Each structure stands twice: as structure tokens, then as C-alpha cells.
Amino acid sequence: MNDRKEPPVEPGKPGPHGKPEAADRELTPRKFYKAEDEAAFSEASPNDTVQTRHPAYRLAFQDTDFLLREDLRPVRFQLELLKAETMLEEAGVGSTLVIYGSARIPAPDKVDEMLAEADGDKRGRKVVENLVAKAKYYDEARRLAYMASSCAVIEDGQRQFVVTSGGGPAIMEAANRGATEAGAESIGLNIVLPHEQAPNEFVTPRLSFQFHYFALRKMHFLLRARAVAVFPGGFGTFDEFFELLTLVQTGKMKPIPIFLFGKDFWTKVVDFDALADEGVISRDDLKLFRIVETAEEAWERIVGFYKLSCPVTVPIPEKMAVGSEA
């Protein structure tokens, strides 16, 4: 008679010597171990041989060197698409208000510091003054984000008009900041760059993503976008704005409210009428977007476009008054 007792087994874990346990006999949906379990089994293995130490023996999904190979680019594309998509779906994000804009425009309370740093450099001072003159747009981006986030539209159990930015400083920071001040979550879609770059402090941590591929990042900007606000910016802002226009112009994307903030800036840097006069775009293409000056004007048009039950005018806290310091 064998009185040896077998060690206790956790429910759902394999029994000793592979013997089936009670849980194994149930008609459960899963009969294979999860990838995380298999990874744990592999790491816990006592075998240490020339073969097990070789990279070829690593589980493919744990082999970073393998995943970073040139010919694995299609897989990395899929991962960048799937990771953010899955996490946004799990977070209940139904649609977004996307805010594009420069990473160089200062917040109003940083203006004096920026001007002081430019003293002694006449040419540089002029550039800084031009940027400082645009500090008002930091406030407008912040206010627009606050309005959209305060409305808290819920449809089919998902949150609508969740504020989304590139996750960086300046206009992007203003967008995430306004959402935070309204007590709402917001999204940041950062990109890996050669120089130092990190998410601004107002991005919701669980909705803060980092991308390797610009193409996948831009796709996530627009997959859920139901309105886009474009503030003064440089090459990156132009790239995002004109790609959006191209998608709508060609019918690949249905029309949504698109706003350019700042008539003085946009009519100076882009002659849209000249494009129509030259015949390279249709005069009707100029109706794809609208130039506005204030957050109130943009929000009113978003509310009207989608016939939202939200108020057109959202009370703004005194601390968020244009030009005020937080």
C-alpha cells in the first residue's frame, strides 16, 4: 500500500506527472495553456544546456532580437495597430476630438521666460516674438478640450469626443491639460524620435501610447476622429492636416468638422485660394475645413454638426480665462 501523498495542485494547473485533476475534467472553453503560462513554464525549466541557451530556443514572442529583424516589419505594423486599438476599445473610447498643433508654442505663463532667453540675439528674438504671439492658441486648445470633455457624451456605452493629442508639449499639452481640468481622461499618441521626447504630464497613463511608425500613429489619430482642430504648427502639423484633407477629398473618409485656428497664420503660410485658382484643387474643396479663432466657435459647430444635446456654451473656470496664468 502506497501512503505517499501528492502535493496540492492549484485549480486549473497541471497535476503531478500530468495526471488530470478535477478542473481538467470540466468542459471548459480552453484546453490549451495561455501564452503567459507557457512562458512561465519555459523560464522555470531547470534544463540548462548548450541548446537551451541558444537564441534559437527562445519562444518567438519573447525573442526581441527576432521581432526586431528587418523582415519582421509586417508583424511590428500589426502590433502597433493592434495594441492601441485593443486598449482603446477596452477603455470604452468610442470617438475622439483630435487636436494637432506645434510643439513650440509656449503657454502664456512661459512667455516672459522665453523672451528673456532670447535677449541679445536680434534674429532669434524675432522668431521667439512670433511664437509668443501665438501663446493665445495654447489657451484656445485648452478651452476646446475642456468643453468637449465637460460634455461627456456617452453613446452605445462608449465615451465620445475623447480628447486626443500627439502627447507632447505646447499645443498638445494644452489639449490634454484641458481634458484633465474637466475631470476626463485623454489620449496621447507619442512617437519615438532621435532627440528626447516624453508624454506631457496631463496624458492619462493608461491611454498614453508610443509608436515607432508614423503611419500607424496617424492611422490611430483618425480611426476614431469625429472632429479635428488644427492649430498653428510646422511640418508635422502640415503633414497631419493635409493627409486628413486628402482622405476626405478623395472620399476615403467621410466628412467631419475640421477647423484651422488662426486666420492670420493660415492665410499667410498657405494660399488656399491660389490652389483653387491654379485648378489643382476644386473651389468646393475649400469647404472641407473652416477657419476659426475661438474654442467656442469650433465647439458650437461640432454640437450643431452632430446635433448633440450638449450645451453650445460651456462655462469656463476663471483660471482658464484667455491669457491667465494657472
Side-chain angles (χ1 to χ4, degrees), residues 137 232 238 260-274 289 291-293:
Y137 294 119
F238 275 56
L260 293 183
F261 273 75
K263 181 177 179 180
D264 289 345
F265 174 80
W266 287 105
T267 55
K268 178 181 179 181
V269 298
V270 183
D271 194 335
F272 294 105
D273 286 321
F289 60 89
I291 296 179
V292 299
E293 297 297 331

Side-chain angles (χ1 to χ4, degrees), residues 166-169 172 190-193 195-201 203 208-210:
M172 294 173 279
N190 283 77
I191 185 81
V192 177
L193 298 174
H195 53 272
E196 183 178 352
Q197 203 243 17
N200 67 68
E201 63 179 302
V203 178
S208 181
F209 303 101
Q210 182 175 217

Side-chain angles (χ1 to χ4, degrees), residues 157-176:
Q158 294 186 312
R159 292 173 292 160
Q160 310 300 318
F161 300 104
V162 178
V163 170
T164 302
S165 83
I171 294 297
M172 294 173 279
E173 175 190 281
N176 298 115

Side-chain angles (χ1 to χ4, degrees), residues 238-304:
F238 275 56
D239 176 39
E240 293 155 348
F241 170 55
F242 280 105
E243 181 162 323
L244 169 59
L245 283 186
T246 301
L247 290 169
V248 178
Q249 180 202 46
T250 57
K252 294 292 288 183
M253 180 177 177
K254 295 179 180 179
I256 62 174
I258 302 172
F259 305 101
L260 293 183
F261 273 75
K263 181 177 179 180
D264 289 345
F265 174 80
W266 287 105
T267 55
K268 178 181 179 181
V269 298
V270 183
D271 194 335
F272 294 105
D273 286 321
L275 290 173
D277 291 340
E278 292 293 328
V280 292
I281 65 170
S282 165
R283 181 64 58 177
D284 284 341
D285 291 336
L286 300 181
K287 299 177 183 178
L288 297 177
F289 60 89
R290 179 178 293 273
I291 296 179
V292 299
E293 297 297 331
T294 66
E296 286 81 1
E297 185 179 355
W299 180 242
E300 179 180 358
R301 293 188 178 281
I302 292 172
V303 170

Side-chain angles (χ1 to χ4, degrees), residues 24-248:
D24 297 327
R25 302 180 189 278
E26 296 176 1
L27 294 175
T28 54
R30 175 184 285 275
K31 288 299 182 182
F32 290 94
Y33 293 109
K34 295 180 180 180
E36 61 193 81
D37 293 328
E38 295 283 5
F41 297 158
S42 176
E43 291 171 359
S45 173
N47 296 317
D48 183 19
T49 67
V50 174
Q51 290 78 15
T52 61
R53 289 194 296 270
H54 196 280
Y57 195 72
R58 295 174 191 158
L59 287 167
F61 57 80
Q62 288 190 309
D63 190 342
T64 304
D65 292 334
F66 175 68
L67 291 174
L68 294 179
R69 286 168 54 121
E70 189 76 12
D71 46 356
L72 265 289
R73 182 177 290 117
V75 175
R76 296 196 296 274
F77 261 63
Q78 286 182 301
L79 290 173
E80 287 215 338
L81 176 63
L82 189 58
K83 180 180 179 180
E85 176 65 21
T86 300
M87 296 184 75
L88 289 172
E89 185 69 27
E90 291 175 348
V93 177
S95 70
T96 58
L97 164 62
V98 175
I99 296 180
Y100 293 139
S102 176
R104 303 184 183 191
I105 293 175
D109 60 344
K110 302 294 183 183
V111 165
D112 291 341
E113 177 185 341
M114 197 169 181
L115 288 171
E117 291 177 353
D119 281 345
D121 181 356
K122 183 177 292 187
R123 186 173 181 180
R125 172 85 180 191
K126 179 59 179 175
V127 173
V128 169
E129 288 174 349
N130 287 338
L131 286 172
V132 164
K134 297 177 183 63
K136 61 183 179 181
Y137 294 119
Y138 181 102
D139 278 332
E140 294 301 337
R142 181 181 170 191
R143 288 155 59 84
L144 178 60
Y146 180 90
M147 292 175 185
S149 300
S150 296
C151 190
V153 180
I154 303 293
E155 188 174 312
D156 296 330
Q158 294 186 312
R159 292 173 292 160
Q160 310 300 318
F161 300 104
V162 178
V163 170
T164 302
S165 83
I171 294 297
M172 294 173 279
E173 175 190 281
N176 298 115
R177 181 177 180 178
T180 297
E181 289 168 329
E185 293 187 320
S186 65
I187 301 167
L189 305 181
N190 283 77
I191 185 81
V192 177
L193 298 174
H195 53 272
E196 183 178 352
Q197 203 243 17
N200 67 68
E201 63 179 302
F202 301 103
V203 178
T204 301
R206 70 167 180 153
L207 300 178
S208 181
F209 303 101
Q210 182 175 217
F211 292 87
H212 170 56
Y213 298 106
F214 265 113
L216 272 299
R217 177 178 182 249
K218 289 193 289 185
M219 180 176 287
H220 277 295
F221 268 127
L222 298 181
L223 279 175
R224 286 175 167 78
R226 295 300 176 268
V228 176
V230 187
F231 288 82
F235 289 158
T237 302
F238 275 56
D239 176 39
E240 293 155 348
F241 170 55
F242 280 105
E243 181 162 323
L244 169 59
L245 283 186
T246 301
L247 290 169
V248 178

